[in-house]
Amino acid sequence: MNIFRFAGDMTHLISILVLLLKVYATKSCSGISLKTQELYGIVFLARYLDLFTDFISVYNTVMKLVFIGSSLAIVWCMRFHRVVKRSYDRDVDTFRHYFLVGGCFLLALFVHEKFSFREVFWAFSIYLEAVAILPQLILLQRSGNVDNLTGQYVLFLGAYRGFYILNWIYRYFTEDQFSRWISCVSGLVQTALYADFFYYYFISWKNNAKLKLPA
Amino acid sequence: SVDEDAHDEL
């Protein structure tokens, strides 16, 4: 564990806490893409198949349970919670995310570290996470104004993989046999997808204005 | 038990 990875995990945790706060405090999921939440649920379920077979550390296991639990809880809320589901706007959350699932799985069948059930699902989860934010970013562009908590949620979610990139650079220089090129390339793509969001977020913060993404 | 190729990152 290094400071970059720990900062990344904490930033990821904060993004989830901000999302949970928004949904539970406001009893509303306006501006949140259910499809992105479903994709994250698939990402964590596919990535943590080794949850009960490989014990790395208490921290690792607890964080995996938090990530799986929170993503499934949000999906449940947006689909079934009596009050929350009313604020879900199906008409703006129209990204066809099943293509992302199919495409990433196909890619994982061809590009993986080892052709085993777990490694193919692990690579699938890495590729899917890189594109999971697309429905959310498209929804924000469609819905124009972005409320503060949603904006902070996306900001932290984008920043966490940026910390992981620093972690991979650090590990590359400090560990001899370190080679996580699947994670690195996907992490770079994932962080790059947030580039324009980060830009408009910075502009709105500098001008102390409401965050607006151009349509 | 941690086999050698277990992914230690979240």
Side-chain angles (χ1 to χ4, degrees):
Chain A
M1 175 60 82
N2 60 63
I3 186 64
F4 302 112
R5 183 143 66 96
F6 185 69
D9 291 343
M10 290 305 106
T11 305
H12 192 183
L13 185 63
I14 289 171
S15 78
I16 289 171
L17 295 177
V18 165
L19 180 58
L20 289 171
L21 171 71
K22 172 197 166 60
V23 173
Y24 282 93
T26 66
K27 284 288 179 285
S28 158
C29 63
S30 65
I32 301 296
S33 163
L34 171 60
K35 299 187 173 191
T36 284
Q37 299 311 315
E38 288 173 347
L39 290 178
Y40 261 101
I42 296 169
V43 164
F44 294 135
L45 289 171
R47 187 173 305 172
Y48 302 148
L49 294 173
D50 61 350
L51 179 62
F52 300 111
T53 56
D54 284 348
F55 179 77
I56 306 264
S57 68
V58 173
Y59 170 83
N60 188 271
T61 301
V62 167
M63 291 296 274
K64 286 175 177 176
L65 290 170
V66 166
F67 289 165
I68 291 175
S70 58
S71 61
L72 297 184
I74 289 291
V75 168
W76 181 86
C77 268
M78 292 182 74
R79 279 185 171 275
F80 304 110
H81 187 286
R82 185 175 32 83
V83 179
V84 173
K85 73 179 183 181
R86 278 210 296 265
S87 55
Y88 172 56
D89 189 348
R90 190 172 304 277
D91 303 336
V92 278
D93 194 12
T94 57
F95 196 99
R96 288 198 292 274
H97 60 323
Y98 291 117
F99 284 108
L100 295 176
V101 176
C104 291
F105 193 76
L106 264 181
L107 181 60
L109 282 176
F110 293 101
V111 182
H112 41 259
E113 279 173 12
K114 195 171 71 178
F115 192 70
S116 71
F117 178 81
R118 207 180 72 187
E119 282 304 313
V120 168
F121 270 84
W122 180 82
F124 163 61
S125 82
I126 293 289
Y127 302 141
L128 189 60
E129 187 186 1
V131 294
I133 197 61
L134 283 174
Q136 179 63 62
L137 290 178
I138 301 292
L139 186 149
L140 292 185
Q141 278 179 340
R142 287 236 177 90
S143 56
N145 64 337
V146 180
D147 70 79
N148 288 342
L149 286 172
T150 304
Q152 283 151 10
Y153 161 65
V154 177
L155 178 76
F156 285 118
L157 189 57
Y160 111 83
R161 215 62 180 168
F163 281 116
Y164 258 74
I165 292 169
L166 299 178
N167 151 65
W168 293 317
I169 293 169
Y170 174 83
R171 292 187 76 175
Y172 178 78
F173 287 111
T174 56
E175 295 172 26
D176 50 356
Q177 91 294 358
F178 181 74
S179 80
R180 287 276 203 299
W181 55 276
I182 286 184
S183 304
C184 293
V185 172
S186 299
L188 283 168
V189 168
Q190 180 170 337
T191 308
L193 288 177
Y194 286 80
D196 68 335
F197 175 83
F198 288 149
Y199 170 73
Y200 289 113
Y201 197 91
F202 172 70
I203 295 291
S204 75
W205 169 77
K206 195 159 66 73
N207 304 336
N208 196 17
K210 194 89 174 120
L211 173 60
K212 269 190 74 60
L213 295 183
Chain B
S1 76
V2 180
D3 56 353
E4 72 293 341
D5 71 347
H7 295 287
D8 63 345
E9 295 183 346
L10 288 172

